[in-house]
């Protein structure tokens, strides 16, 4: 709190010199009263200054609640049912226009199943605030700064808006929430992205992006005083990204968006932590993905919107050194390369335990395969605030998506190796809230969906989801 020492000094001097004079005593009382009023005014000024600073941050909330019935079946006739499962998801959105050149955006998220008294573990970092195993913990889903370097050219740094992108907004009844198509990436990521949108492409809104992400980096274990200064033990996992997007000159066809994207991962890392094998992140190779996305909103001025998105996937396994070193280390054997592990096994004279280690290392490498996926959907906005939509997804045998589940998609259908059919009905209660009833049929034709390694053997597995969703945004 600020003070006015001159008034206090004057009042003290008057009090000491003329304390016996009633007139001066009255003057002192007036000064004291004035000082009290100044203190109160300064307190109010401090509060106003604080509120003015805080008012730069605009808050918003999104609340979702769902109840779902899950039915699964295998080709051998085995069936399972898991019905009446409730879940809640909450997002706290934060936005601040710091100045003419700088904007901050953030989101805190929590997703949990009701009555989850058995919760006892932390989810993986890439799943934070998105899956029901997150329990009561609130996670950082987004936190990034947009900085305008030059007119039409800006940088975005931090945890990127990389979930619920184009290809998800029709079903989720939302606007565009991510820079990137959902079939390209639909999980959390930290990156530095540069965007160039020159004014002379104003009609087509042509935009170019390029960026870099470090999705895994080695740091010392929890509690270490050398958290960032310890010895490098792993190869960091890096991702390079380029994208171009714009509107095609299709005349009466209406508002549209076309996006062409490419990502390259270097030293793709996956966390291996199971009851029988705890290795931490293992570098298993490199991945390339190309995605082409197109969407058309209110086609020909009609209440009909649709999209189609396709991706091509290519994986290249590494030499297996990292997997071999970690598998061997977990079993008390010190080696640095896959060749050394093979040599130890060969010299063992057929030791069964060592052969099992060798087999485990074999499984921890990317499938050296190409794959593709296609996702298409359409929605009709009906009278009386109803909307009905249908979506289809197909993933080939070795398909793998950079995607994680959410309350809207609890089984992560974008990682299906087979076919998905989804039909939904939305009722818009008012501007801020809606109800959605949906039926999703997921048929996996190959095993290990959701994994980029471990092979893909033929299977016959079907999952059905009947869901009723309530969503509120304000």
């Amino acid at each position: 709190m600020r003070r006015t020492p001159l008034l206090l000094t004057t009042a003290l001097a008057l009090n000491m010199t003329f304390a016996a004079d009633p007139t001066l005593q009255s003057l002192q009382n007036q000064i004291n009263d004035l000082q009290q009023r100044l203190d109160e005014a300064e307190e109010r000024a401090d509060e106003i200054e604080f509120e003015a600073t805080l008012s730069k941050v605009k808050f918003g909330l999104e609340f979702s609640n769902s109840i779902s019935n899950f039915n699964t079946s295998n080709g051998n006739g085995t069936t399972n049912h898991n019905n009446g499962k409730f879940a809640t998801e909450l997002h706290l959105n934060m936005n601040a226009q710091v100045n003419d050149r700088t904007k901050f955006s953030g989101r805190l998220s929590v997703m949990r199943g009701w009555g989850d008294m058995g919760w006892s573990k932390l989810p993986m970092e890439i799943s934070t605030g998105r899956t029901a195993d997150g329990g009561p913990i609130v996670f950082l889903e987004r936190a990034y700064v947009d900085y305008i370097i030059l007119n039409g050219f800006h940088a975005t740094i931090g945890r990127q808006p990389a979930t619920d992108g184009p290809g998800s907004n029709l079903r989720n009844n939302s606007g565009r929430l991510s820079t990137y198509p959902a079939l390209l990436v639909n999980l959390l990521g930290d990156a530095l992205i540069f965007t160039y949108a020159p004014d002379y492409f104003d009609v087509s809104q042509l935009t170019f992006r390029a960026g870099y992400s470090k999705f895994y980096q080695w740091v010392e274990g929890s509690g270490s005083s050398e958290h960032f200064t310890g010895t490098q033990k792993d190869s960091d996992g890096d991702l390079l990204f380029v994208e171009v997007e714009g509107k095609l000159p299709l005349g009466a066809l209406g508002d549209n968006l076309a996006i062409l994207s490419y990502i390259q991962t270097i030293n793709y890392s996956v966390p291996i932590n199971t009851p029988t094998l705890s290795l931490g992140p293992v570098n298993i190779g490199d991945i390339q993905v190309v995605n082409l996305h197109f969407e058309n909103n209110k086609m020909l001025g009609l209440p009909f919107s649709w999209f189609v998105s396709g991706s091509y996937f290519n994986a290249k396994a590494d030499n297996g050194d990292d997997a071999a070193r970690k598998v061997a280390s977990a079993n008390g054997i010190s080696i640095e390369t896959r060749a050394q592990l093979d040599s130890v096994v060969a010299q063992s004279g057929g030791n069964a335990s060592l052969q099992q280690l060798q087999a485990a290392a074999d499984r921890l490498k990317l499938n050296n395969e190409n794959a593709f996926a296609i996702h298409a959907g359409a929605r009709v906005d009906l009278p009386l605030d109803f909307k009905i939509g249908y979506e289809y997804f197909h993933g080939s045998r070795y398909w793998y998506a950079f995607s994680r589940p959410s309350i809207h998609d609890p089984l992560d259908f974008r990682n299906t190796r087979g076919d998905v059919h989804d039909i939904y009905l939305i009722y818009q209660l008012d501007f801020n809230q809606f109800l959605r009833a949906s039926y999703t049929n997921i048929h996996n034709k190959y095993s290990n969906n959701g994994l980029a390694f471990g092979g893909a053997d033929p299977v016959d597995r079907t999952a059905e989801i009947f869901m009723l969703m309530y969503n509120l945004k304000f």
Side-chain angles (χ1 to χ4, degrees), residues 65-70 83-87 466-470:
N65 209 86
S66 69
I67 177 172
S68 303
N69 290 346
F70 297 90
N83 298 330
K85 300 306 173 184
F86 287 83
F466 299 86
M467 179 186 291
L468 179 62
M469 163 79 70
Y470 167 74

Side-chain angles (χ1 to χ4, degrees), residues 4-21:
T4 51
L6 179 61
L7 285 174
L8 290 175
T9 303
T10 303
L12 181 61
L14 289 171
N15 180 59
M16 294 174 61
T17 308
F18 305 105
D21 190 325

Side-chain angles (χ1 to χ4, degrees), residues 87-102:
T88 296
E89 186 178 71
L90 180 68
H91 300 300
L92 173 62
N93 298 307
M94 299 163 283
N95 295 282
Q97 188 67 49
V98 181
N99 54 44
D100 291 342
R101 302 175 65 144
T102 310

Side-chain angles (χ1 to χ4, degrees), residues 36-55:
Q36 182 178 354
R37 293 184 181 183
L38 283 173
D39 288 344
E40 292 174 353
E42 288 171 356
E43 285 185 9
R44 288 195 295 271
D46 287 341
E47 291 176 0
I48 292 172
E49 183 179 356
F50 175 75
E51 291 175 359
T53 302
L54 189 61
S55 68

